[in-house]
Amino acid sequence: MHNEEIEIITSDHLLSDVDHPFKVFAGPGAGKTFWLINNIKNILKNSTRLFSASKISCITYTNVAVEEIQTRLDMTGDRVEVSTIHSFLYNCLVKPYVNLLKYEDGSYLVNIEQLDGHDDHIPSVGRILGNKQMSATVLKNRIDHKELQGVLSSLDWYLNGDDLILQPRNDWQRKKYKKLVTAGFFNAYKAMFWDDGTIHHEDVLFFSHEILKNHPLIREFIAAKYPYILIDEFQDTHPVQTKILKWISEAGAIIGVIGDPAQSIFKFQGASRADFLEFKLPGQKNYAIKYNRRSTRNIVNILNHIRGTDEVVQECYREIDGSEVCIIVNKSVEGIIEKFNSERARLGMTGDSCIVTRRNDSVVKLKNCAGNCNMSIWSDFSEADSKRQRFIEVILSAQEYADNSMHETAVKQVMKVFKTDKEGALKDPFTACSFEIDNLSKRSMAVSLLEYLTSNRDENMTKNVLAFYNDLIGFFNGIGVALKRVGAGGFKTFAQAANVNELVLSLKLGEEKYSNIRTIHKSKGAEFQSILVYFEDNKDIQHLLNPDAKHEEDDCRLYYVALSRAEDYLCIATDELSQEIIDALAKLNLKMIG
């Protein structure tokens, strides 16, 4: 990248030439969404490549971002299709063309009659143990069931020449289970889901890749329908996605990518910082937006210190120093939160605020303001009754999405409750239905269930899980569906002791819109007047003192993303620091507050 020309632009810059691929470097607060919206409108106005049946595809990373872009596009939205990468690939490739993929005996790779969207991968050792041949492999290799669960949860597709290989993300797991990878053990595991018509998010990439590899003419169909494909947050793109986009580019589509290598934080999902830096198409033009319009100068100075010298060294657009960046050291989580809020009040910071931290269990601890919360409640639930656990998790996740005004996401989530088997019957924990199940009836039931959940949310939060589940039995009876009743056993014991509120506090939602305590990954794309970054491991403070944003691992970039969410007030907190570390932080103009 260093040998290529990069034009410095501002967020109100309109492309004069809309018929060349481009790459835009845009740091935090650069106004890239504003730039993206205006240049979509610019392309609609000036392009000679768009016809009545063609559209611009705008791809972004989260459903929250999709909703924001759709809202800001306003009346131009009917000419622009906004989606996540997985939704784009599923709707344009997998859904219409997966029937082209067959085994050597002519049978379909996927049960196309049962296929209905793509789901999270919930690892199932039980499926493997229920298969005689695979169970024998587990026994022969003396594989611990709990360890196998961890391996299954980290499975992903990786490029291997022109093919894709299914293997664990972790290097040590790859080495240990290399023979099983080579023997196709994990492919056979996936095939059991596909035979039921279930594909997972990562499988969308596999099927899209295979369709375009084996049927290259489809690349031209996609390029004709979407002569422009613009991808936001490209630094978080999977290498398989990159290859797919290059194929579509070769077929004639104009590809534009926007991102920031210093905010690449999804390595655990296969994303690579290098993919963004090395992305290059024939005739590509490169741009960089230099200003940070979000943060004060004191905050921008810290951010520039962390990212070092790269393609984007930001300038503060607001031209005000703002409040000093502060440090709180306190062994009590409650004490940290109390000090943060009192300092905000002292400074007159009456706007929105958020506490961000690295780990989900720290989020739970912060939400409860104590270290004695039940962080294992969902795993305890799964051990008691894994099918009911998944059922309740989907329902409560949908409820919380709706409570966050993410209504379409909530509907998609609650639709997962109504999965059917090969005979068209609702799956466990349902036992009967008084009418024929089709997609229309599923959506109707989903909307009714969502209305019930949102209307009764406050009351439900006070109940134990058993009372909540029994109420669900009553609700489903009212719409002609029978839910399995509760007998003596593990579920009843768990459900009597656990509260709905505990489950909700410990939920790991895929996306959050309004939560004021969240993980760093879920804070991506958000901004707040005040931010508290909680370092649960005080050793991570070294990422501020000796930053390496170009490192292969994401650690330093994670904290860069966290700190960059702040507009006016930024505070860092941990349990204890040595005086040497405190003095070193002071040299960065960070202020210690008691």
Side-chain angles (χ1 to χ4, degrees):
M1 213 32 242
H2 297 289
N3 297 323
E4 298 179 14
E5 182 179 347
I6 301 177
E7 181 182 345
I8 303 299
I9 61 173
T10 60
S11 60
D12 55 4
H13 174 87
L14 296 179
L15 296 173
S16 57
D17 181 358
V18 297
D19 288 330
H20 282 83
F22 61 83
K23 175 163 63 176
V24 179
F25 292 81
K32 65 181 177 64
T33 303
F34 177 83
W35 184 91
L36 179 61
I37 296 296
N38 283 342
N39 275 281
I40 287 174
K41 294 177 180 178
N42 180 41
I43 292 169
L44 289 171
K45 180 180 179 181
N46 296 305
S47 174
T48 58
R49 297 164 55 89
L50 287 168
F51 300 100
S52 58
S54 59
K55 290 185 175 185
I56 297 172
S57 172
C58 177
I59 296 170
T60 189
Y61 201 75
T62 67
N63 287 305
V64 172
V66 168
E67 289 179 11
E68 180 185 359
I69 292 172
Q70 287 173 332
T71 300
R72 291 169 67 170
L73 276 172
D74 197 23
M75 296 305 292
T76 60
D78 60 339
R79 303 283 312 279
V80 184
E81 196 167 288
V82 189
S83 64
T84 63
I85 184 67
H86 289 88
S87 293
F88 174 78
L89 294 176
Y90 179 81
N91 291 322
C92 296
L93 288 171
V94 178
K95 189 175 181 179
Y97 299 116
V98 74
N99 62 299
L100 298 175
L101 302 179
K102 299 178 181 180
Y103 292 110
E104 291 183 0
D105 64 4
S107 61
Y108 294 120
L109 259 65
V110 181
N111 184 332
I112 56 176
E113 292 181 358
Q114 292 296 314
L115 180 62
D116 183 20
H118 46 99
D119 297 325
D120 295 329
H121 174 208
I122 308 300
S124 176
V125 174
R127 279 187 180 249
I128 290 175
L129 299 180
N131 179 287
K132 187 176 181 180
Q133 186 176 351
M134 297 183 77
S135 180
T137 301
V138 171
L139 185 62
K140 179 182 176 181
N141 290 274
R142 298 180 180 179
I143 302 173
D144 177 78
H145 293 180
K146 188 172 182 179
E147 184 176 308
L148 180 57
Q149 182 89 358
V151 174
L152 296 177
S153 68
S154 72
L155 289 176
D156 206 350
W157 296 97
Y158 291 86
L159 288 168
N160 183 28
D162 289 332
D163 298 320
L164 293 184
I165 184 171
L166 182 64
Q167 60 185 3
R169 296 188 185 102
N170 299 322
D171 289 336
W172 72 268
Q173 290 176 331
R174 290 185 188 181
K175 292 176 182 176
K176 183 170 181 178
Y177 293 95
K178 184 177 181 180
K179 289 183 179 179
L180 293 187
V181 169
T182 305
F185 178 87
F186 297 116
N187 294 66
Y189 164 74
K190 279 285 189 178
M192 288 192 286
F193 287 97
W194 301 345
D195 191 49
D196 291 340
T198 299
I199 68 171
H200 304 128
H201 299 318
E202 63 270 19
D203 299 333
V204 172
L205 299 185
F206 168 75
F207 289 117
S208 299
H209 179 274
E210 294 303 290
I211 289 165
L212 294 180
K213 183 183 78 170
N214 295 311
H215 304 277
L217 184 62
I218 295 174
R219 305 175 195 178
E220 296 181 22
F221 296 165
I222 301 301
K225 184 174 181 180
Y226 302 101
Y228 295 89
I229 301 178
L230 312 183
I231 305 96
D232 193 11
E233 303 287 0
F234 192 74
Q235 76 280 345
D236 294 322
T237 297
H238 194 288
V240 178
Q241 298 169 16
T242 303
K243 185 167 185 177
I244 289 170
L245 290 168
K246 286 186 175 180
W247 275 340
I248 298 173
S249 171
E250 290 166 3
I254 299 295
I255 306 293
V257 301
I258 308 160
D260 180 12
Q263 296 187 74
S264 178
I265 60 172
F266 285 89
K267 183 176 183 288
F268 69 95
Q269 291 184 351
S272 167
R273 173 181 177 272
D275 257 23
F276 179 82
L277 292 170
E278 296 168 5
F279 186 81
K280 185 178 180 182
L281 297 172
Q284 176 177 296
K285 297 185 177 182
N286 303 302
Y287 306 92
I289 303 176
K290 68 177 181 177
Y291 285 115
N292 182 320
R293 294 170 175 265
R294 174 186 299 154
S295 306
T296 61
R297 186 175 286 114
N298 282 330
I299 296 171
V300 172
N301 288 343
I302 290 293
L303 297 178
N304 282 336
H305 162 73
I306 294 172
R307 77 180 297 149
T309 57
D310 68 1
E311 289 74 13
V312 181
V313 177
Q314 291 192 301
E315 295 181 23
C316 180
Y317 182 82
R318 295 172 62 187
E319 295 187 344
I320 57 171
D321 291 339
S323 301
E324 295 173 287
V325 179
C326 295
I327 312 167
I328 300 172
V329 179
N330 195 314
K331 289 185 179 293
S332 163
V333 172
E334 289 175 313
I336 287 172
I337 295 174
E338 182 180 347
K339 187 62 185 176
F340 172 62
N341 288 329
S342 66
E343 193 66 13
R344 286 177 57 225
R346 186 186 69 81
L347 294 168
M349 301 288 177
T350 58
D352 55 1
S353 67
C354 189
I355 303 173
V356 296
T357 188
R358 183 168 184 168
R359 294 164 54 89
N360 278 299
D361 55 1
S362 294
V363 168
V364 175
K365 183 174 15 175
L366 288 160
K367 283 182 177 180
N368 284 351
C369 286
N372 60 354
C373 58
N374 185 0
M375 297 179 192
S376 64
I377 190 167
W378 282 106
S379 58
D380 292 344
F381 194 169
S382 182
E383 288 182 14
D385 188 326
S386 61
K387 290 183 178 179
R388 281 194 177 107
Q389 178 267 326
R390 180 58 182 159
F391 175 76
I392 295 296
E393 183 179 18
V394 169
I395 283 177
L396 290 179
S397 294
Q399 171 188 283
E400 294 310 294
Y401 282 132
D403 194 55
N404 274 265
S405 299
M406 299 171 64
H407 300 294
E408 190 57 34
T409 302
V411 172
K412 288 179 181 178
Q413 181 74 8
V414 84
M415 285 281 285
K416 296 176 183 178
V417 167
F418 304 107
K419 290 285 185 181
T420 52
D421 60 21
K422 293 178 182 179
E423 285 70 43
L426 290 170
K427 291 184 177 181
D428 195 1
F430 293 106
T431 59
C433 182
S434 62
F435 51 88
E436 186 176 343
I437 300 294
D438 56 23
N439 286 334
L440 184 61
S441 62
K442 285 181 183 180
R443 189 168 181 91
S444 176
M445 287 190 293
V447 172
S448 295
L449 176 56
L450 206 53
E451 288 175 349
Y452 168 78
L453 292 169
T454 53
S455 299
N456 296 280
R457 181 182 182 276
D458 291 345
E459 182 183 349
N460 288 338
M461 295 287 276
T462 66
K463 298 175 180 176
N464 67 20
V465 175
L466 183 60
F468 176 63
Y469 184 83
N470 284 330
D471 286 346
L472 287 174
I473 290 176
F475 165 79
F476 282 114
N477 280 339
I479 61 172
V481 179
L483 191 60
K484 184 189 294 182
R485 294 193 174 275
V486 180
F491 173 69
K492 186 173 184 179
T493 302
F494 170 85
Q496 286 174 324
N499 296 317
V500 173
N501 186 58
E502 289 181 281
L503 291 176
V504 169
L505 279 174
S506 303
L507 266 178
K508 297 178 182 178
L509 293 177
E511 298 181 39
E512 297 189 47
K513 193 173 183 179
Y514 297 117
S515 174
N516 61 357
I517 301 177
R518 58 180 82 178
T519 63
I520 297 171
H521 285 100
K522 291 173 186 173
S523 73
K524 191 79 177 289
E527 60 185 19
F528 302 87
Q529 183 186 52
S530 303
I531 282 284
L532 171 65
V533 182
Y534 176 61
F535 286 71
E536 62 267 50
D537 185 347
N538 55 44
K539 294 177 183 176
D540 282 355
I541 293 289
Q542 286 297 328
H543 293 301
L544 305 185
L545 297 175
N546 301 294
D548 183 5
K550 298 179 181 180
H551 197 280
E552 181 182 348
E553 299 300 324
D554 291 343
D555 305 76
C556 181
R557 294 189 294 276
L558 262 174
Y559 289 108
Y560 178 80
V561 168
L563 300 171
S564 65
R565 303 305 94 198
E567 297 172 342
D568 298 326
Y569 180 52
L570 173 60
C571 192
I572 295 160
T574 192
D575 57 356
E576 59 180 334
L577 292 174
S578 69
Q579 189 58 49
E580 180 183 0
I581 297 295
I582 292 172
D583 292 343
L585 290 170
K587 292 178 182 178
L588 297 177
N589 296 318
L590 273 65
K591 175 188 174 185
M592 186 81 175
I593 55 177

